[in-house]
Amino acid sequence: MDVLRNNNWLLTVGTFLPVLGVIVMVFIPKGKELLIKQVALLTATATLVIGAVTLALFKYGSAGKLQFVVDTSWIPVIHSNYTIGLDGVSLPLYILSMVVTVLVMIYSWDHIPAPGNPKAFLSLMLILQVGMAGTFIAQDLILFFVFFELVLLPMYFMIGVWGGEQRQYASLKFFLYTMFGSALMLVAFLALFWQVQKTNPDASFSIPYLIDHAGDLSRSTQIWIFAGMFIGFAVKVPMFPFHTWLPDAHTQAPTQGSVILAAILLKLGTYGFIRIAIPILPKAAVAWAPYIGALAVIGIIYGALGCLAQTDMKRLIAFSSVAHMGFVMLGIATLTPLGVNAAVFGMVAHGLITGMLFFVAGSVKDRYHTLEIKRLGGMLKQMPKLGWILGFCAMASLGLPGLAGFWGEFPAIVSAYSPFGGNSGLPGVSKEVFRVFMVIAAVGTVLAAGYLLWLFQRVAFGEPKDEFADHASDGHGAVHAVGAAVNETEIHGAGHGDIHDVKLTEWIAWSPFLIAIVVLGVYPNLLFKVIDPASQTILKAFGKG
């Protein structure tokens, strides 16, 4: 595989810089919360600056090649190297992980969840950043696995310590599901290596090497190895029926955990399919494609119907992720450049939009101390800015043309009309079957409009419910009666005196998300022109069919 090695220090520094911040924070006394927050934010910002330099130096005319490549000995006894690189598919996700971490840090400035302890909370967030960024640059299966697993413990503790009432159940469920999938994925990686080594004694775990040498394995061998990878990645996505950990994890996680989970962690699974499973095992990919497509569209419909049944705002948004990731997997299952382009765009768009929805849900919880939909209402009267942001994100999530969500869903549906037709010695995928999937997915967009507009209508329209009707503030902490006169002491005693509109830290944290949703919606080629050359390279085993 063609590589560019210029400035090959960038990825290593950009990935591991947060570790330096964690080391510094270890020596700061727990009581110096302001200093801890400053160090955490400075570290995340410095990491993003390295990401910006990476963006500036990336050769966009060679987006199909791996760039900033490092390939050095790591664990020679098991033939595993420290091999990293970045192309047009991984670049947007790598940068997105850095952006999300910085913005979540800004939001956390005055939103550290109970029981507090910013030192531990922000340290875990920086460790998460290392795992997320590392997964997107890893070009060795063992290195990929290490980074893939590194995100598990920080998220487990974020949910288990700073989560809701059922946090221990949700964190354990998240941990067990992911570990189960990862165990099978590791077995598949080892089986792949051993099978390739039979005919290539100098085999390694290098992903480019395996792409070049594993395609000759027999179809049945590829199908069984793909099965292990499929479960490992499908749990992370999560695809139906491996999705049941997600609503619990999202609902119980603190706002920051939900945003990171939705924006980045779910993408590790879909990225694994694109980077590893499909290009390395093309024969198995063709055999598995109809089943992946079927589970994807089941997830689209199931997720949408699940949303319509929810009574909790955060749980509804969590189920919407199951549906949206179904569109991503449908695009991947077509085995076409258009489908993969749509999938990667959909991953970025979903990260921005659903991340924002979880930000809004967290702020609603801070103000109303509940996310029960039937208790909410009248947000456009009490907090018009927050209400309109919710409406904007709902429109983006349902795929309104002109916003980023549209370009993740529409091309994925279109790609299902003409899936991989067969050439390069590979059989084709049934067009008739995928056209049925296309119709089902299109119905899913209608259901998405239904549950998102229903949510917006119930939460934002009408009059505030009686328990909140008199509890509004001017955004500066001063409480005012709305309608009848009200005793201020009674308001604060009831715990609802903090109903105020969007604060400065929230504006700073959210504005880049909101701007990116519009920019990518109006000018999607900003991403597509970077993704497409890499998609063509990744799918080279499938030719032009």
Side-chain angles (χ1 to χ4, degrees):
M1 182 176 288
D2 292 333
V3 297
L4 295 172
R5 298 178 184 272
N6 298 345
N7 299 296
N8 60 1
W9 56 272
L10 270 174
L11 297 187
T12 299
V13 174
T15 301
F16 291 103
L17 186 57
V19 175
L20 182 62
V22 173
I23 293 171
V24 171
M25 288 164 65
V26 166
F27 295 100
I28 299 175
K30 189 176 175 182
K32 295 188 175 180
E33 294 191 0
L34 179 60
L35 181 59
I36 288 167
K37 290 177 182 177
Q38 289 171 337
V39 170
L41 181 57
L42 180 64
T43 304
T45 305
T47 306
L48 181 57
V49 169
I50 297 294
V53 173
T54 307
L55 271 179
L57 296 177
F58 188 84
K59 293 180 171 59
Y60 294 94
S62 303
K65 297 179 181 179
L66 284 177
Q67 303 186 30
F68 314 115
V69 172
V70 177
D71 186 8
T72 188
S73 181
W74 181 38
I75 316 176
V77 71
I78 61 168
H79 305 276
S80 180
N81 286 352
Y82 177 71
T83 308
I84 58 174
L86 206 61
D87 65 5
V89 162
S90 48
L91 178 69
L93 299 166
Y94 176 72
I95 299 299
L96 181 64
S97 72
M98 295 176 169
V99 172
V100 168
T101 301
V102 170
L103 298 182
V104 169
M105 286 285 185
I106 293 169
Y107 179 84
S108 300
W109 194 266
D110 53 7
H111 288 90
I112 298 291
N117 194 350
K119 182 176 178 177
F121 187 74
L122 298 176
S123 294
L124 288 174
M125 210 179 295
L126 290 173
I127 295 169
L128 260 176
Q129 165 60 23
V130 175
M132 294 185 299
T135 303
F136 295 129
I137 64 168
Q139 293 294 328
D140 178 278
L141 291 185
I142 301 300
L143 188 64
F144 176 90
F145 181 80
V146 169
F147 283 125
F148 193 84
E149 291 302 286
L150 183 60
V151 303
L152 186 55
L153 274 178
M155 185 54 68
Y156 169 78
F157 285 116
M158 284 182 78
I159 298 171
V161 176
W162 289 273
E165 293 178 2
Q166 302 293 320
R167 58 186 178 273
Q168 291 172 342
Y169 166 77
S171 60
L172 185 61
K173 191 173 183 180
F174 162 75
F175 191 90
L176 291 177
Y177 264 74
T178 309
M179 279 298 292
F180 170 73
S182 298
L184 291 177
M185 183 179 76
L186 181 59
V187 170
F189 287 173
L190 295 174
L192 174 65
F193 172 77
W194 288 327
Q195 289 297 319
V196 172
Q197 195 181 38
K198 286 181 180 179
T199 54
N200 300 276
D202 59 342
S204 75
F205 283 96
S206 162
I207 293 173
Y209 178 90
L210 292 170
I211 289 173
D212 291 338
H213 291 85
D216 296 332
L217 296 178
S218 69
R219 183 174 180 272
S220 60
T221 300
Q222 287 196 23
I223 286 173
W224 280 106
I225 294 173
F226 195 100
M229 293 187 189
F230 169 79
I231 294 174
F233 296 140
V235 167
K236 204 80 164 188
V237 170
M239 291 181 70
F240 176 92
F242 306 104
H243 67 283
T244 56
W245 64 267
L246 182 70
D248 292 312
H250 265 317
T251 305
Q252 298 303 321
T255 299
Q256 294 90 333
S258 292
V259 171
I260 293 172
L261 195 58
I264 308 297
L265 293 198
L266 304 189
K267 314 307 181 294
L268 302 186
T270 47
Y271 178 77
F273 278 109
I274 295 172
R275 175 63 63 200
I276 296 172
I278 287 172
I280 292 178
L281 302 168
K283 296 173 187 172
V286 172
W288 274 88
Y291 302 101
I292 295 174
L295 291 176
V297 295
I298 290 171
I300 290 170
I301 302 300
Y302 175 87
L305 295 176
C307 287
L308 290 169
Q310 299 310 308
T311 58
D312 181 278
M313 181 179 174
K314 207 172 180 186
R315 200 170 177 86
L316 185 151
I317 299 167
F319 267 98
S320 78
S321 288
V322 177
H324 288 306
M325 297 311 286
F327 286 101
V328 172
M329 289 308 304
L330 178 61
I332 292 171
T334 66
L335 306 178
T336 60
L338 176 60
V340 171
N341 290 346
V344 177
F345 197 106
M347 288 152 70
V348 174
H350 175 267
L352 296 169
I353 296 165
T354 308
M356 259 312 306
L357 282 169
F358 278 117
F359 265 140
V360 172
S363 292
V364 169
K365 181 71 178 287
D366 285 343
R367 290 152 171 78
Y368 290 103
H369 306 288
T370 183
L371 284 170
E372 202 171 344
I373 295 172
K374 68 181 180 182
R375 290 178 63 190
L376 302 173
M379 192 189 296
L380 286 172
K381 286 200 168 184
Q382 284 187 310
M383 301 179 292
K385 295 184 180 70
L386 190 62
W388 284 118
I389 290 173
L390 173 62
F392 172 82
C393 294
M395 295 302 166
S397 187
L398 63 82
L400 187 73
L403 299 176
F406 176 78
W407 298 109
E409 295 182 5
F410 175 69
I413 294 171
V414 170
S415 70
Y417 185 80
S418 299
F420 173 63
N423 61 21
S424 304
L426 296 171
V429 176
S430 171
K431 289 186 177 181
E432 291 74 17
V433 168
F434 269 80
R435 286 172 185 176
V436 171
F437 294 162
M438 180 185 72
V439 173
I440 297 171
V443 172
T445 62
V446 178
L447 293 175
Y451 67 72
L452 286 161
L453 292 175
W454 173 78
L455 171 68
F456 183 48
Q457 181 185 34
R458 295 281 297 276
V459 171
F461 289 2
E463 298 293 328
K465 298 296 190 290
D466 290 343
E467 63 178 310
F468 304 113
D470 299 323
H471 309 151
S473 97
D474 61 4
H476 300 286
V479 180
H480 300 286
V482 180
V486 62
N487 185 302
E488 187 170 322
T489 306
E490 290 177 2
I491 294 175
H492 286 289
H496 301 306
D498 50 0
I499 295 179
H500 52 80
D501 219 331
V502 185
K503 295 190 296 185
L504 179 62
T505 51
E506 292 169 334
W507 275 124
I508 296 171
W510 298 353
S511 294
F513 279 83
L514 300 172
I515 292 167
I517 290 168
V518 174
V519 170
L520 292 179
V522 174
Y523 186 47
N525 200 43
L526 195 65
L527 264 187
F528 281 134
K529 67 183 179 184
V530 178
I531 300 167
D532 187 58
S535 299
Q536 302 278 357
T537 302
I538 287 169
L539 297 174
K540 67 180 180 180
F542 301 92
K544 301 289 184 184

